[in-house]
């Protein structure tokens, strides 16, 4: 790779339709779907915008080393494509775009693998997927999700102080169109390309608000948006609370700042909330684990040839506090690396429900013409060698989520039964051994 550092992201492959927002039902807010994954199951993408490469390495390779398995484009296959083109050209009722037809061939070729995580990117979409690496965006500062069956696009999260917040968009709003383009006519990843744009320009959104049965119009000014992935607060009895929504490039730094702030407030115990966190950069989660765990293996990755890549903690710093980690079925990939390491080291208590179960790695290979291909290339394992793909990680204390104040209009963690259980555990904990 000649100096090019692998950038690995954990893929958010949850069913986005099942991810609730922070509402009176008490769910803790979906993590920003980082969206290459979203192009497969069509999940939430930050309009800020993050369309992230989750569970993915960006790899530059010697093209001369690439070898095909055999002749796929046989004379018969080429003749059949030409025959199909002739029928389309002669009988299809509307005009067609040759470039789009070729892209369809490439996409179909990758679909032939039968792996929902492997796919083809045009240069434009590929560039979009890179945006999330910095955390800075020219967009409107909201999160979207798309139902994989109906293609309906809705607002899953509105970030405070961003253009979407200022304009009055709300969680749950259904996006009908973007600048007169129907939102359900394309993948949410492509829709994001329409929403992003130059700073100071506006994007026109037509929205349906189910709660009030209203059709609304918004002209939202695009801005340079930096979306936080960590928030924190001090709770009772010296318990610090840190929520990680996704593992982005700046997340480890944000985590360290949050931890330091809580320390100055007298933190003696720590609660880390990974519910609805669908993943992010492996480098990010490893860096955070390095701040928490003692010296040792954190996670390792193996490809089909048995080549192994290990990520380790150097123990230059680690947390010597009682720790509780909250997880659920929407905690995926990088969140599972985190939870798996905590569990294997017996360094904290996992509370909630079994995690999603994604233990495979994708690699993005840039192509010579600017397009790219993403392929599943490896498996990852917890420190004890557990392969959690389609298995998930069981909590130490299983507790199905329940919001204890059904009449509340706004989410309040004092009515969150999982947080209350975590407080109970931490209040009963002694010093970390």
């Amino acid at each position: 790779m000649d100096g090019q550092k692998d950038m690995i992201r954990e893929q958010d492959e949850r069913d986005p339709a099942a991810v609730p927002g922070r509402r009176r039902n008490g769910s803790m807010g979906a993590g920003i779907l980082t969206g290459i994954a979203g192009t497969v199951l069509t999940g939430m993408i930050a309009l800020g915008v993050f369309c992230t490469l989750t569970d993915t390495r960006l790899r530059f390779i010697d093209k001369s080393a690439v070898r095909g398995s055999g002749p796929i484009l046989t004379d018969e296959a080429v003749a059949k494509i030409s025959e199909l083109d002739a029928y389309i050209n002669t009988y299809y009722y509307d005009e067609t775009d040759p470039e789009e037809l070729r892209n369809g061939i490439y996409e179909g070729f990758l679909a032939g693998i039968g792996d929902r995580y492997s796919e083809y990117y045009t240069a434009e979409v590929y560039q979009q997927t890179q945006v999330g690496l910095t955390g800075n965006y020219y967009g409107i500062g909201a999160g979207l999700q798309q139902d994989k069956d109906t293609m309906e696009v809705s607002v899953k999260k509105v970030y405070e102080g961003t253009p979407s917040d200022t304009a009055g968009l709300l969680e749950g709003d259904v996006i009908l169109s973007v600048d007169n383009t129907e939102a359900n006519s394309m993948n949410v990843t492509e829709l994001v390309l329409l929403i992003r744009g130059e700073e100071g320009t506006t994007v026109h959104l037509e929205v349906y608000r189910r709660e009030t049965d209203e059709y609304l119009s918004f002209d939202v000014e695009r801005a340079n948006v930096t979306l936080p992935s960590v928030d924190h607060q001090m709770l009772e009895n010296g318990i610090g609370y840190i929520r990680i929504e996704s593992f982005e490039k700046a997340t480890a730094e944000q985590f360290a700042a949050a931890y330091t702030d809580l320390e100055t407030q007298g933190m003696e115990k720590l609660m880390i909330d990974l519910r609805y966190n669908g993943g992010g950069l492996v480098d990010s989660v490893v860096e955070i684990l390095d701040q928490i765990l003692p010296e040792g293996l954190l996670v390792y990755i193996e490809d089909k040839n048995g080549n192994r890549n290990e990520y380790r903690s150097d123990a230059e710093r680690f947390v010597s506090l009682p720790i509780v980690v909250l997880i659920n079925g929407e905690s995926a990939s990088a969140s599972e690396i985190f939870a798996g390491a905590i569990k294997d080291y017996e360094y904290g208590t996992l509370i909630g429900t079994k995690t999603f179960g994604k233990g495979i790695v994708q690699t993005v290979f840039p192509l010579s013409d600017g397009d790219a291909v993403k392929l599943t290339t490896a498996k990852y394992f917890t420190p004890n060698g557990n392969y959690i793909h389609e298995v998930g990680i069981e909590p130490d204390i299983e507790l199905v989520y329940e919001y204890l104040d059904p009449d509340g209009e706004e989410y309040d963690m004092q009515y969150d039964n999982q947080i209350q259980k975590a407080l109970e555990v931490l209040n009963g904990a002694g010093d970390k051994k």
Side-chain angles (χ1 to χ4, degrees):
M1 291 181 284
D2 300 328
Q4 294 287 350
K5 184 179 181 181
D6 278 359
M7 291 180 286
I8 306 178
R9 283 187 173 268
E10 286 306 315
Q11 187 137 9
D12 185 342
E13 294 298 348
R14 308 163 299 169
D15 180 353
V19 182
R22 181 176 293 195
R23 300 183 175 225
R24 58 182 290 179
N25 64 8
S27 49
M28 280 299 296
I32 295 300
L33 179 109
T34 63
I36 285 189
T39 63
V40 181
L41 292 186
T42 43
M44 183 171 69
I45 298 203
L47 289 188
V49 168
F50 31 133
C51 190
T52 60
L53 304 181
T54 46
D55 210 20
T56 307
R57 287 183 285 186
L58 174 62
R59 181 175 294 178
F60 297 86
I61 59 175
D62 179 4
K63 296 295 191 296
S64 65
V66 178
R67 296 287 184 270
S69 61
I72 302 297
L73 289 180
T74 61
D75 291 342
E76 292 81 1
V78 172
K80 189 168 187 176
I81 292 173
S82 296
E83 186 178 7
L84 291 172
D85 180 56
Y87 275 104
I88 292 171
N89 187 58
T90 304
Y91 295 110
Y92 184 66
Y93 82 103
D94 203 353
E95 295 297 318
T96 60
D97 183 338
E99 182 177 358
E100 287 300 312
L101 288 173
R102 285 190 289 270
N103 287 337
I105 293 174
Y106 310 144
E107 291 167 3
F109 187 71
L110 266 295
I113 295 175
D115 173 29
R116 64 177 179 170
Y117 302 109
S118 296
E119 55 188 321
Y120 167 81
Y121 299 127
T122 64
E124 186 177 30
V125 172
Y126 171 54
Q127 289 302 313
Q128 172 65 36
T129 66
Q130 303 303 297
V131 173
L133 294 175
T134 63
N136 297 317
Y137 319 96
Y138 293 103
I140 65 173
L144 292 188
Q145 75 169 10
Q146 184 175 47
D147 187 282
K148 64 186 179 70
D149 297 318
T150 66
M151 299 294 283
E152 179 183 272
V153 178
S154 60
V155 176
K156 186 49 83 174
K157 188 173 182 68
V158 175
Y159 283 87
E160 184 178 355
T162 63
S164 61
D165 183 31
T166 302
L169 283 171
L170 298 178
E171 293 178 8
D173 284 350
V174 177
I175 306 297
L176 302 176
S177 67
V178 175
D179 286 339
N180 298 318
T181 298
E182 291 185 6
N184 63 359
S185 67
M186 62 183 65
N187 188 282
V188 68
T189 309
E190 298 170 313
L191 186 68
V192 165
L193 296 175
L194 299 181
I195 296 173
R196 291 184 63 235
E198 294 182 7
E199 186 176 17
T201 61
T202 60
V203 57
H204 181 77
L205 304 177
E206 293 290 335
V207 168
Y208 173 63
R209 185 165 291 168
R210 284 197 180 96
E211 292 184 358
T212 57
D213 194 26
E214 292 180 279
Y215 289 88
L216 305 170
S217 298
F218 296 90
D219 289 304
V220 188
E221 183 173 332
R222 301 176 177 102
N224 187 1
V225 177
T226 300
L227 301 180
S229 54
V230 174
D231 49 19
H232 71 285
Q233 61 181 291
M234 196 68 181
L235 305 180
E236 60 188 32
N237 299 331
I239 296 174
Y241 171 85
I242 298 178
R243 171 165 173 76
I244 306 175
E245 291 206 356
S246 56
F247 292 96
E248 302 302 320
K249 186 174 183 180
T251 304
E253 182 179 348
Q254 292 174 13
F255 179 89
Y259 186 87
T260 299
D261 182 50
L262 291 171
E263 270 191 319
T264 63
Q265 297 181 56
M267 177 176 63
E268 298 175 353
K269 302 167 186 179
L270 177 60
M271 184 190 313
I272 299 174
D273 194 342
L274 298 181
R275 293 175 296 175
Y276 305 103
N277 181 327
L281 289 165
V282 170
D283 284 347
S284 176
V285 67
V286 166
E287 188 174 345
I288 293 173
L289 286 170
D290 191 21
Q291 299 175 40
I292 295 174
L293 294 178
E295 183 177 3
L297 181 64
L298 300 175
V299 63
Y300 66 93
I301 294 170
E302 287 186 354
D303 65 18
K304 69 178 182 180
N305 297 315
N307 297 314
R308 177 164 164 165
N309 188 20
E310 296 185 347
Y311 295 83
R312 308 184 70 88
S313 171
D314 58 19
E316 289 185 5
R317 49 182 178 169
F318 61 92
V319 173
S320 57
L321 301 175
I323 297 175
V324 163
V325 179
L326 298 177
I327 56 174
N328 65 6
E330 309 304 328
S331 305
S333 296
S335 293
E336 293 174 291
I337 288 177
F338 190 103
I342 293 291
K343 188 178 184 73
D344 284 3
Y345 275 88
E346 299 181 355
Y347 214 70
T349 303
L350 303 183
I351 296 177
T353 53
K354 185 171 69 173
T355 61
F356 180 80
K358 181 172 186 294
I360 53 178
V361 175
Q362 283 69 49
T363 303
V364 173
F365 299 94
L367 303 178
S368 56
D369 62 356
D371 295 350
V373 59
K374 182 183 68 165
L375 298 173
T376 298
T377 54
K379 303 175 181 179
Y380 75 75
F381 300 82
T382 70
N384 287 348
N386 296 315
Y387 178 51
I388 58 89
H389 190 60
E390 298 184 350
V391 175
I393 296 172
E394 296 284 352
D396 299 306
I397 299 175
E398 184 172 6
L399 182 64
V400 176
Y401 177 81
E402 183 181 0
Y403 194 59
L404 302 177
D405 182 21
D407 296 325
E409 293 297 325
E410 298 290 337
Y411 172 83
D412 188 329
M413 67 168 55
Q414 70 173 312
Y415 300 114
D416 183 324
N417 70 321
Q418 292 172 330
I419 284 184
Q420 294 308 306
K421 184 64 176 180
L423 290 173
E424 177 187 328
V425 170
L426 288 171
N427 283 325
D431 291 336
K432 186 77 181 175
K433 300 298 183 184

